[in-house]
Amino acid sequence: MTADESELRELRASVREFLEAKSPEEAVRKLMESEPRFDPAVWSQAADQLRLPGLAIPEEYGGDGFGLVELGVVLEEMGRALFCAPFFATVLLAAQALLASGDRDACARFLPGIASGRTTATLAVAEDHGSWDPAMVSARAVPDGDGGWTVRGRKCFVIDGTTADLILVVARTVAGPTLFVVERDATGLAAEPMETLDATRAMARLTFDAVPATLVGAEGAGGRIMAKVLDIASVGLAAEQAGGARRCLETSADYARVRHQFGRPIGSFQAVKHKCADMLVQVELAEASSREAARLADEGSPDFPVAAAVAHACCSRAYMTAAMENIQVHGGIGFTWEHPAHLYFRRAKSSQLLFGGPAVYHERLLDRLGI
Amino acid sequence: MESDDMRDFATEARRFLDAHVAKAPDRTAVTWGEGDDSMAYFSSLPPEEEREFVQRAREWQRIRHENGFGWITGPVEYGGRGLTPVHDLLYDAIESEYDVADTGVLSVIGLGMIGPTILAHAQPHIRDRWLPAMYRGDAIACQLFSEPGAGSDLASVATRAVREDGGPSRSSEAESGGDWVLNGQKVWTSVAQHSQIGLALTRTNPDAPKHRGITAFLVPMDAPGVEVRPLRQMTGGADFNEVFLTDVRIPDDHRLGEVDGGWTVALTTLMNERATVGSEGVGPVGAALSPDHLSALMRATWTWDDRALRARLAELLVDVLATEHLNARALRKLRGGVAPGPEMSVSKLMYGQNLTRAAHFVSDVLGPRIIADTGQWGTYAWTELLLATPALRILGGTEEIMKNILAERVLGLPKEPVTAAAKEVRS
Ligand SMILES: Cc1cc2nc3c(=O)[nH]c(=O)nc-3n(C[C@H](O)[C@H](O)[C@H](O)COP(=O)(O)OP(=O)(O)OC[C@H]3O[C@@H](n4cnc5c(N)ncnc54)[C@H](O)[C@@H]3O)c2cc1C
Ligand SMILES: Cc1cc2nc3c(=O)[nH]c(=O)nc-3n(C[C@H](O)[C@H](O)[C@H](O)COP(=O)(O)OP(=O)(O)OC[C@H]3O[C@@H](n4cnc5c(N)ncnc54)[C@H](O)[C@@H]3O)c2cc1C
C-alpha cells in the first residue's frame, strides 16, 4: 500500500499530535532516567490507537502493509520529539531482519506480535569492537543435536537489549554468519545496561552462555540479510535524524527572532543569520535524501542501495551540524542541562556513529557506486 | 504519476528529436582517453569559432521553434505552445539525451529571463516585435542590470534616464510621451556582444527612495550611443562586457512597466533567474560531478586507493547526490501541481558549492598535472572548470545574498536595521 501526499500529511499530523501529548520534554527527561527506558502505557497506545508498530509490516503478518515512505514520516516525528520507545529496534532492526531472512515460518510466528505492539524485539550484531559488519562477528552457534541451536558469545551496543522480548542475533556457524532468534527468558542469557551518551536510546551488553536459539533463514545467510537490513535501518535512522535536525533549526530560528543583544534580535546579525541559513540547507538536503531513499526502497529501485548510503551520510552530518549550531545560537543557555539542546546533540552524535560513522559509511557509499 | 497528456507530449518530443538530431554519447559513462575532454563552463573560443557557435545556437532554436518546442510555456498568440513549466522541464530532460547545439547564449538570459519580463510588462506592439523574433532565434537579449556601483544592491543603479521633449509638462503617469535619453555604465553584461536588445534598469527619479525611482527600458543594442566593450574574465575568455550608454535615445514605448516602477519589472527578471540557475547539470559540468567520471579519473591517476582522497570523494558525492535528490523532489512537486519551497535557492547554492569542491578535489587528484599541461587526456582540461567556479558563487545573486534571502524569507529572521544611507541613492 502507498499513501498519497494528503494521507502522508494526515499521518504526520496525527503522529505529531500524539507525541506532543505523550512525549513532551518532561516525559523524555523522566524516561531517560528510568528502567525500562520507555513508558509501556504510551507504547500500547501508539500500537492500539495509531497502529504504529505494524505500519510497514505486510498484511499477511498482521500489519498494515505500508512502506518505508510512511515509516519515514513516523520516524521523522519520533526523531523530532526524541520519543523514547522500542520502535527503532523492534520495527527497523528486528522486523526488517525477519522479513529480509525470507523465513516465512519465523515471520508468521513473530511478526504478528510485533505488528500488534505486544512483542518488542531487537537485533544483536555488534560485539566489543562495535562493528555491524557480520564478517566481524565472533559469537558462535552450534547444533544442539535436537534440531535446535546453541549460541555462545558476547554482544554489545544492543539497543533495548535489557527489555526486548525477542533478540535476533547474528552468530557464526560453519557456514558463516547466520541469523538466530532467542527469547528473553531463555536460559544462559544475561543482559546488562550500558551507560550511553544518548540516554534516550538504551543499549545493553548481552552474554550468551549456551543459549538455546532458533535458526532464522538459511544457515550462512547472515551477511546477505544484514546488508539489506542495514540499508533499510539506515534510511529509517536518516528519517529520525532529519526530523531531529529540522527541530534544531526551528528552535534556533525561533530563538534568533526573539533574543535581543545590542538592541537587536540576534537573528538580524549576519553571523547568526548565515548560520541558520547553513542549517536550513543541511536540513533540506537531509529531508530530500532520506525521503527519496525511502521512495526508491518502496519502488524496489536498483538505485536504492546508493540512495540509502547517501541518506545515511547526509542526514548524519546534517543532524550533527544542526545540533551543534543550535547550541551556538543559544549561547550560554544552550550549554545548560535544563535546555533541551544537549539532548539533540547527544542523539545526533550517537546516531551518526551507531552503524560505524563516517569512515564506514563513506566507504559503503563508494562501494555501492562501484568505486 | 504522469498523466496521458505528459506521455503524449514526451512521445511527440522524442519523435521531433529523433527526426532532427542524434542521441548524445553518454558523457557520464567514460572511456578514459576517448572523446572530447573539454571542461569549459564559459566558452573560450576564438572570434571566428565563437560566431559559428552562436550561429549554431540560433539555428537549433529556429528548428525547435518551427516544431513547437521553441517556447513551450509561451502564449499561443506569440508563437508559444501555451503549456506548463512542467512540460518545459520535461522537454529539457528529454532533449538532454540528444546531441543538440548548446543554446545557452540565447536561452539562459534571453529566453529564460528577459522574454518572460517583456511578456509581463511591455506594450503589445513591443511584444509583437520582439518575442517571436527572440523565440525564433533571430534576436538575442541581454540583462543590463549590474553597474560598477550597483551589484548586490541592485536598486542603487545610477544610469540616468531623462525624458526629453515636453518631459516636465507631461504627467509622469502618461501612457506614452517623449523620448528618453540614457546615460551611464553597465557592467558584467553577459552575451551583450551577441545581443540585439538589452533590458536596462535606469534611475529616473534620484529624489525618491531608491526602489521607487527606477524605470526599465528595452534598449536596441544598435542604437547610437550604445558601446559594448568586452571584459576579459579570469578564465581568459570574454563572455561578459562593459556597456556604455552615452546619450542613447529610447522611445517611450520601449519602456517596461510604469515610470519609476522598474523595480517590479526587475523582480520578474530576478524571479526567473532563480528558476534557471541551478537547473543545469548536463554536458561537461554534469560529467564533472558524475561518480563514474570521478572514479575513472582516480583509476587513471592511480589514486583510487588513497584513503584521504576517497574520504573526500565520498563527502563530495554525498552532496552531489543529495542535491540531485532535492532537485528530483522539487520537480516531482511541480508535476503534482505543488509549488516547490526553498528547494530552488538551496539547489542554486549547492550547485556552486558542489562544482567548486569538485574542481578542487580533482585538482588535488591531478597534482602537478593541473599546474602544467603534460598533454595527457582529461587532466589539464580541468583548469577550465577550476577557473570558472568562482563565478558560480557570485552570479545570479552571491552566496551571501542567497543566504540572507533564505534566512529572511524562509526562516523569518529579521532584516538588518536599515540605515538612512542605505535607503538613499548614492551619488
Ligand atoms: C561554561 C561557561 C562558563 C561561563 N562562566 C561565566 C562566568 O564565570 N562569569 C560570567 O560573567 N559569565 C560566564 N559565562 C557566560 C558567557 O560569557 C556568555 O554565555 C557569553 O558571553 C554569551 O552570552 P549569552 O550566553 O547571553 O549569549 P548571547 O549573547 O545571547 O548570544 C547568542 C548567540 O548570538 C550571537 N551574537 C550575539 N551578539 C552578536 C553580534 N553582535 N554579532 C554576531 N553574533 C552575535 C552569539 O555569538 C551567540 O551565538 C559562561 C558561559 C559558559 C558557557
Ligand atoms: C560571470 C558573471 C556573469 C554576470 N552576468 C551578468 C549579466 O548578464 N547582467 C548583469 O546585470 N549582471 C551580471 N553579473 C553581475 C552579478 O549579478 C553581480 O556580480 C553580483 O550581483 C554581485 O555584485 P558585485 O559584483 O557588484 O559584488 P558586490 O555586490 O560588491 O559584492 C561584493 C561582496 O560583498 C558581499 N555583499 C554585498 N552585499 C552584502 C550584504 N548585504 N550582505 C552580505 N554580503 C554582502 C557579496 O556577497 C560579495 O561577496 C554577472 C556576474 C558574473 C560573475
Side-chain angles (χ1 to χ4, degrees):
Chain A
M1 268 213 272
T2 37
D4 62 27
E5 283 301 322
S6 76
E7 289 166 327
L8 290 178
R9 264 195 303 277
E10 257 173 58
L11 175 64
R12 185 182 298 283
S14 59
V15 176
R16 185 171 297 186
E17 193 189 344
F18 178 81
L19 293 175
E20 275 168 3
K22 308 290 177 184
S23 177
E25 192 190 327
E26 312 85 82
V28 171
R29 284 181 184 271
K30 211 171 114 224
L31 290 171
M32 271 163 48
E33 283 159 6
S34 5
E35 267 316 315
R37 212 67 70 80
F38 68 99
D39 181 341
V42 171
W43 175 245
S44 307
Q45 289 163 353
D48 298 343
Q49 294 168 16
L50 298 178
R51 305 173 63 85
L52 296 184
L55 186 70
I57 288 176
E59 283 162 305
E60 60 175 314
Y61 300 124
D64 288 338
F66 286 99
L68 207 46
V69 168
E70 293 77 14
L71 208 50
V73 168
V74 173
L75 285 158
E76 280 183 25
E77 292 305 314
M78 291 181 171
R80 182 186 173 85
L82 294 172
F83 183 43
C84 297
F87 191 83
F88 187 81
T90 304
V91 174
L92 266 306
L93 294 175
Q96 293 303 328
L98 285 164
L99 287 166
S101 75
D103 185 329
R104 303 184 56 86
D105 289 345
C107 287
R109 196 167 144 211
F110 299 116
L111 286 177
I114 288 179
S116 71
R118 271 180 289 110
T119 310
T120 64
T122 189
L123 173 62
V125 182
E127 300 177 356
D128 290 345
H129 44 66
S131 169
W132 282 72
D133 181 353
M136 306 281 280
V137 162
S138 62
R140 299 204 154 265
V142 292
D144 66 2
D146 220 7
W149 294 76
T150 307
V151 174
R152 279 177 205 279
R154 263 154 66 93
K155 294 286 172 183
C156 251
F157 311 101
V158 182
I159 302 177
D160 302 330
T162 59
T163 54
D165 302 318
L166 282 183
I167 295 139
L168 284 132
V169 55
V170 175
R172 184 172 292 284
T173 74
V174 286
T178 303
L179 186 65
F180 295 92
V181 61
V182 167
E183 309 214 17
R184 162 104 266 131
D185 51 14
T187 53
L189 174 66
E192 167 202 351
M194 296 170 83
E195 181 178 330
T196 51
L197 173 70
D198 166 21
T200 63
R201 183 126 61 208
M203 288 187 175
R205 183 179 286 115
L206 302 187
T207 315
F208 296 80
D209 184 11
V211 176
T214 310
L215 176 69
V216 177
E219 211 190 319
R224 190 185 49 76
I225 295 171
M226 278 311 300
K228 220 168 151 189
V229 173
L230 275 182
D231 277 349
I232 293 175
S234 54
V235 173
L237 184 65
E240 257 193 30
Q241 290 169 313
R246 171 68 73 182
R247 176 81 207 168
C248 291
L249 167 65
E250 287 174 5
T251 314
S252 291
D254 287 347
Y255 189 71
R257 278 191 296 267
V258 299
R259 167 74 173 169
H260 280 66
Q261 287 288 278
F262 304 98
R264 295 161 53 174
I266 56 166
S268 70
F269 294 114
Q270 236 173 47
V272 173
K273 187 176 282 186
H274 284 188
K275 214 181 269 308
C276 292
D278 289 338
M279 287 163 79
L280 172 66
V281 167
Q282 293 287 313
V283 169
E284 287 286 330
L285 291 174
E287 283 177 359
S289 65
S290 81
R291 293 175 185 178
E292 193 65 2
R295 191 184 69 81
L296 292 167
D298 290 352
E299 286 179 358
S301 162
D303 297 333
F304 171 62
V306 169
V310 170
H312 183 31
C314 182
C315 295
S316 294
R317 185 197 49 194
Y319 195 8
M320 199 60 246
T321 309
M324 230 160 66
E325 299 294 37
N326 184 35
I327 297 177
Q328 181 64 17
V329 168
H330 280 81
I333 192 86
F335 186 66
T336 60
W337 183 263
E338 281 68 31
H339 198 279
H342 74 101
L343 304 180
Y344 289 89
F345 184 98
R346 290 162 178 272
R347 172 64 78 86
K349 184 50 87 187
S350 122
S351 300
Q352 179 177 34
L353 291 160
L354 181 61
F355 293 134
V360 171
Y361 57 62
H362 284 152
E363 274 304 320
R364 212 158 91 216
L365 171 64
L366 296 183
D367 175 63
R368 298 286 154 86
L369 286 165
I371 299 175
Chain B
M1 258 199 284
E2 260 163 48
S3 60
D4 290 350
D5 157 60
M6 284 292 175
R7 252 194 309 277
D8 292 348
F9 178 76
T11 311
E12 191 200 330
R14 284 184 201 285
R15 202 176 305 128
F16 155 64
L17 288 160
D18 285 333
H20 287 86
V21 281
K23 282 268 183 182
D26 183 1
R27 280 205 64 141
T28 56
V30 227
T31 309
W32 195 255
E34 271 178 28
D36 185 3
D37 71 348
S38 164
M39 279 291 160
Y41 186 86
F42 297 105
S43 74
S44 49
L45 300 168
E48 187 53 35
E49 286 174 46
E50 173 91 7
R51 267 193 295 281
E52 281 169 27
F53 174 81
V54 174
Q55 201 40 50
R56 279 197 301 277
R58 288 176 184 274
E59 182 61 19
W60 176 238
Q61 178 60 27
R62 186 181 60 72
I63 296 173
R64 258 184 199 154
H65 189 69
E66 283 169 358
N67 288 274
F69 295 98
W71 194 11
I72 291 167
T73 57
V76 180
E77 64 262 39
Y78 297 109
R81 272 294 282 279
L83 297 175
T84 66
V86 184
H87 289 88
D88 205 26
L89 289 166
L90 183 59
Y91 177 79
D92 285 350
I94 295 172
E95 201 196 70
S96 71
E97 299 164 19
Y98 291 81
D99 195 10
V100 298
D102 178 349
T103 52
V105 63
L106 56 82
S107 61
V108 176
I109 294 173
L111 307 188
M113 296 155 57
I114 311 296
T117 312
I118 294 176
L119 182 63
H121 300 286
Q123 298 190 18
H125 76 279
I126 297 292
R127 286 187 260 174
D128 290 343
R129 164 71 187 87
W130 289 108
L131 290 176
M134 284 169 68
Y135 289 91
R136 249 189 341 255
D138 293 342
I140 297 181
C142 62
Q143 180 192 18
L144 297 162
F145 281 18
S146 302
E147 295 180 5
S152 300
D153 184 13
L154 183 59
S156 64
V157 284
T159 291
R160 286 283 279 142
V162 178
R163 191 177 277 189
E164 248 223 342
D165 320 320
S169 66
R170 289 170 199 263
S171 140
S172 69
E173 259 79 64
E175 251 315 292
S176 180
D179 287 357
W180 295 82
V181 177
L182 274 55
N183 276 289
Q185 184 196 344
K186 295 293 173 177
V187 74
W188 324 129
T189 321
S190 306
V191 305
Q193 72 274 38
H194 303 300
S195 294
Q196 282 64 52
I197 42 173
L199 177 62
L201 293 185
T202 65
R203 174 75 41 203
T204 39
N205 188 348
D207 302 321
K210 64 183 179 182
H211 291 87
R212 279 186 258 140
I214 297 170
T215 304
F217 293 97
L218 204 59
V219 177
M221 297 297 282
D222 60 0
V226 177
E227 190 198 345
V228 177
R229 286 187 210 155
L231 263 180
R232 215 166 161 204
Q233 69 239 8
M234 65 175 275
T235 54
D239 289 78
F240 55 22
N241 305 271
E242 294 176 290
V243 178
F244 293 87
L245 304 168
T246 314
D247 294 331
V248 179
R249 182 175 290 271
I250 303 290
D252 188 51
D253 64 3
H254 280 53
R255 167 165 55 80
L256 268 66
E258 303 291 319
V259 173
D260 296 341
W263 189 246
T264 313
V265 180
L267 289 180
T268 305
T269 314
L270 297 179
M271 233 165 57
N272 282 286
E273 178 160 34
R274 306 261 145 78
T276 33
V277 185
S279 62
E280 293 105 309
V282 286
V285 171
L289 296 177
S290 102
D292 288 347
H293 197 100
L294 294 169
S295 77
L297 177 80
M298 287 182 80
R299 276 193 301 276
T301 49
W302 298 94
T303 52
W304 61 272
D305 62 349
D306 181 306
R307 291 185 65 88
L309 287 174
R310 286 178 71 82
R312 281 177 56 199
L313 175 63
E315 281 176 3
L316 169 64
L317 290 177
V318 167
D319 278 333
V320 168
L321 297 171
T323 307
E324 275 180 20
H325 290 165
L326 185 80
N327 292 339
R329 295 187 70 78
L331 192 60
R332 215 170 307 111
K333 269 194 191 171
L334 263 173
R335 283 187 193 174
V338 182
E343 289 97 334
M344 296 320 246
S345 303
V346 172
S347 175
K348 182 204 180 275
L349 265 175
M350 290 308 294
Y351 178 75
Q353 284 182 12
N354 289 344
L355 270 176
T356 302
R357 278 170 62 201
H360 289 279
F361 169 74
V362 169
S363 301
D364 293 356
V365 168
L366 292 171
R369 279 164 291 212
I370 203 152
I371 315 179
D373 192 355
T374 60
Q376 196 186 343
W377 188 94
T379 60
Y380 192 69
W382 281 88
T383 53
E384 294 175 289
L385 183 65
L386 177 67
L387 291 171
T389 49
L392 301 179
R393 302 172 60 199
I394 300 169
L395 58 82
T398 67
E399 236 170 60
E400 289 76 15
I401 296 297
M402 296 302 292
K403 286 184 186 179
N404 286 348
I405 291 176
L406 280 174
E408 289 165 15
R409 307 234 178 106
V410 182
L411 299 176
L413 295 188
K415 287 186 186 295
E416 283 178 85
V418 180
T419 57
K423 287 189 202 147
E424 305 284 295
V425 185
R426 271 169 294 155
S427 46

